[in-house]
Structure formats: C-alpha cells, structure tokens
Amino acid sequence: MKLPFPPKLGGADRAGFDLVMLDSDTAGWIFTWIENSGELEARGRSDLLRCIARLDRVVPVLSEAEDPEYWHRLREMARLVADSPHVAIK
C-alpha cells in the first residue's frame, strides 16, 4: 500500500483496461483480505481472479518506462491471496 502508483500512468489504458482502476480494484481486494484476517467472500475472490486475468494481459504489454515490476508485484500479491487456503467460500 505504501508503494506509489507509477506517476506516468495516471489515466493510462493498456490492453483495454484503465490502469488506475485495475490497481485500485486489485489492491482493494488484497486490503480486504488483510483486514478480514485472511478471509475473502466468494464474490471478492471472483473479482480478484478477474483482476489477475486482467493483469495477465496488461503486464506483457508494458514498457520498461511503465514500471512493469510494480504490476508484476501487484499480480503476485493478488495470486497469493487468491490461492490462500484461508479464503472463505461463502
């Protein structure tokens, strides 16, 4: 949460996705999982998996100037949360 959003990407769209919204949605579900002690409702997990699929399309088209490491890290955190055995299926 402390890492700043890549400054040159505000308002940018890659692979058909608004990067600010993709970042916000993904980080929001990760934050929810943290706040709920490692639990995420089925809808949250589904939305997080959708974010991961979008990140899978975005990351390969980023240039080095667009901070692909930031996006790779966000995707990895999302994958760890989605794969967590503590995800509650409600």
Side-chain angles (χ1 to χ4, degrees):
M1 298 299 279
K2 292 181 182 181
L3 288 176
F5 183 82
K8 296 179 182 179
L9 296 179
D13 181 285
R14 297 293 180 276
F17 302 106
D18 179 295
L19 296 182
V20 171
M21 289 304 300
L22 181 56
D23 177 69
S24 177
D25 290 346
T26 307
W29 287 117
I30 293 168
F31 181 76
T32 298
W33 180 82
I34 291 168
E35 289 295 304
N36 290 336
S37 302
E39 291 189 7
L40 202 57
E41 291 183 0
R43 176 180 164 260
R45 185 173 187 279
S46 176
D47 286 352
L48 185 59
L49 290 171
R50 190 173 304 110
C51 291
I52 292 167
R54 291 174 179 175
L55 286 164
D56 286 343
R57 292 180 55 196
V58 166
V59 171
V61 301
L62 296 172
S63 70
E64 281 302 313
E66 295 173 316
D67 200 359
E69 185 57 34
Y70 175 90
W71 299 96
H72 205 40
R73 191 174 319 128
L74 181 65
R75 189 218 174 271
E76 197 57 33
M77 284 188 295
R79 176 50 57 198
L80 289 169
V81 169
D83 290 346
S84 170
H86 303 292
V87 174
I89 306 298
K90 295 182 182 175

